[in-house]
Amino acid sequence: MILSVPKETAAGETRVALVPEVADRLVKSGLSVTLEAGAGAAAHHPDSDYVEVGAQVGDGWSGEVVAKVAPPNAEEIARLGQGSVLIGFLQPLTAGETVRALADAGVTSFAMEAIPRITRAQSMDALSSQATVSGYRAALIAAQQLPRFFPMLTTAAGTVRPAKVLVLGAGVAGLQAIATARRLGAVVQAFDVRSAVKEQIESLGARFLELDMGLEDAEAAGGYARQLTDEEQAKQRDLLAVEIGKMDAVISTAAVPGRPAPLLVTETAVRNMAPGAVIVDLAAETGGNCELTEPGETVVREGVTIVGPLNLPASMPDHASSLYSRNVQSLLELMVDEGELSLDFDDEVLAGACITRDGEIVHEGAQKAVAA
Ligand code: NAD
């Protein structure tokens, strides 16, 4: 079986779907790997490193399986052969046009986002591997932007109190942001609508922020949060505005799959913060958790620096690509039998991750996205 790896073309995308180390393992397992020239360059992997492990440089689109990071654009979809298999982040719940085009092109596509989050599939969980990078980088950005120290310092010139950091949303990215901010010495609090995360927050040395929202628990299917009602959201925002005012930095990561990010940090909350405080809004890509976030920009509003980063994993392409490649490798192991492509759609992981097949859109969430 030939696996092709194209060069990513989306603006700002520096990651590559396959790093030389994983290419080496795949070649040794009997696959043939073809890489588009320069595909790994932005992730600091020159073509020669791939050639050294037995991969070829050539057409990144003609293999039976094509592994990508970002969703393909229309031109790229046209380069995929009918019946070929595409693996990548495909945004199946929101990118209706891409999904439709993949079905029309007769491509069998698998979205990394749609891999069921079950124990057996943990090694394929690219949402988690990339969110780990985002959470880490978000804490570093907050520390870098803050005109104060994160740790407590006792110096000859006096004692410096540690920074107070609030992390909103304690999923994979939020937990990594908590851990990173703690390592830098900040005093960290965190809030989530899923009460199951209280213990995880505390195990990282942070405090779970209790808000008297009258909310039982907002955990929905698959361990994700459900969308709060309008009334619950309004109450949450009011209570948070008071707590946010006490913070030096807020790192917000709250998300509900397939929906715009919930608004948690109002203009009033920003106004309550001290001048020089920082907000890093990881939800900027889906509209932002903060009312004043400008996606892709760093702005100062009411004296507060608000950072709205896009595609943070691309800011650390070496490790982000390594982790992603291992996720792809694990998924490929399910798809390949003795060096040949063999797709078992009775397997719940492949069935769950499949978005288009035989000209049809087979994923329920993607069907809704296309209908919308
Ligand atoms: P996510 O990116 O969808 O959301 C980030 C966080 O925001 C979540 O913790 C969510 O509860 C929280 N959130 C949503 N609305 C909120 C609001 N209004 N206020 C505050 N917080 C809000 O989440 P994720 O990081 O992808 O993780 C989702 C779940 O999946 C978690 O339970 C995680 O432990 C679980 N998970 C399971 C596996 C596995 O078993 N293989 C792997 C990874 C993650």
Side-chain angles (χ1 to χ4, degrees):
M1 188 194 97
I2 300 176
L3 171 72
S4 298
V5 181
K7 189 171 159 60
E8 297 294 321
T9 55
E13 188 53 79
T14 56
R15 291 169 292 174
V16 61
L18 196 69
V19 297
E21 183 198 337
V22 176
D24 184 24
R25 271 184 249 140
L26 294 179
V27 169
K28 283 186 178 135
S29 76
L31 297 195
S32 175
V33 174
T34 304
L35 175 96
E36 185 172 341
H44 311 288
H45 298 299
D47 292 348
S48 55
D49 287 4
Y50 292 89
V51 173
E52 207 169 288
V53 298
Q56 337 240 323
V57 176
D59 185 346
W61 292 95
S62 58
E64 287 157 272
V65 178
V66 174
K68 252 189 105 347
V69 180
N73 60 33
E75 253 169 58
E76 291 170 334
I77 292 173
R79 296 183 67 181
L80 287 164
Q82 185 158 9
S84 64
V85 171
L86 174 70
I87 298 172
F89 281 120
L90 303 177
Q91 301 172 356
L93 301 184
T94 46
E97 268 180 41
T98 305
V99 170
R100 180 77 267 163
L102 286 168
D104 290 347
V107 173
T108 305
S109 61
F110 294 91
M112 295 304 280
E113 302 95 321
I115 292 175
R117 285 179 126 176
I118 55 174
T119 307
R120 184 166 73 87
Q122 264 179 357
S123 60
M124 307 165 204
D125 187 348
L127 280 180
S128 289
S129 70
Q130 304 306 294
T132 300
V133 178
S134 300
Y136 169 77
R137 294 296 268 197
L140 297 186
I141 292 171
Q144 176 82 22
Q145 290 285 345
L146 192 69
R148 301 168 201 145
F149 281 108
F150 257 33
M152 186 180 101
L153 292 182
T154 310
T155 78
T159 301
V160 171
R161 70 160 177 83
K164 287 189 212 144
V165 174
L166 175 64
V167 175
L168 298 173
V172 181
L175 290 172
Q176 190 55 234
I178 294 170
T180 307
R182 286 284 303 135
R183 284 184 202 118
L184 291 172
V187 172
V188 183
Q189 295 188 44
F191 174 74
D192 199 295
V193 287
R194 293 180 299 117
S195 45
V197 296
K198 181 174 191 282
E199 217 173 288
Q200 295 167 20
I201 291 168
E202 287 171 352
S203 74
L204 293 169
R207 195 162 76 80
F208 183 71
L209 177 67
E210 308 269 1
L211 290 184
D212 187 14
M213 286 172 64
L215 191 71
E216 278 293 303
D217 184 12
E219 180 145 341
Y224 289 108
R226 68 165 167 81
Q227 170 95 333
L228 301 188
T229 64
D230 289 349
E231 201 181 319
E232 285 169 338
Q233 286 192 41
K235 186 146 193 206
Q236 179 185 19
R237 286 196 281 266
D238 288 349
L239 291 169
L240 274 178
V242 177
E243 299 303 323
I244 288 168
K246 303 172 190 165
M247 299 295 151
D248 295 299
V250 172
I251 299 169
S252 67
T253 76
V256 178
R259 294 189 165 271
L263 175 60
L264 306 180
V265 184
T266 56
E267 191 171 342
T268 307
V270 175
R271 222 176 289 132
N272 288 349
M273 296 182 91
V278 174
I279 296 171
V280 179
D281 190 348
L282 270 193
E285 241 156 282
T286 51
N289 290 141
C290 173
E291 202 167 7
L292 302 181
T293 294
E294 292 183 23
E297 306 288 335
T298 297
V299 296
V300 179
R301 298 282 180 265
E302 312 287 343
V304 174
T305 302
I306 305 171
V307 189
L310 300 178
N311 196 1
L312 267 186
S315 70
M316 215 175 87
D318 185 344
H319 270 165
S321 301
S322 289
L323 297 174
Y324 183 74
S325 292
R326 284 182 222 160
N327 299 141
V328 169
Q329 182 197 351
S330 290
L331 180 62
L332 282 171
E333 280 164 10
L334 274 191
M335 297 181 161
V336 178
D337 189 25
E338 297 190 2
E340 299 297 325
L341 184 64
S342 159
L343 299 175
D344 173 9
F345 287 101
D346 289 333
D347 184 300
E348 66 175 316
V349 175
L350 289 189
C354 188
I355 306 302
T356 61
R357 187 182 159 198
D358 298 332
E360 305 285 337
I361 299 164
V362 294
H363 183 272
E364 200 186 315
Q367 286 166 349
K368 282 189 193 146
V370 171

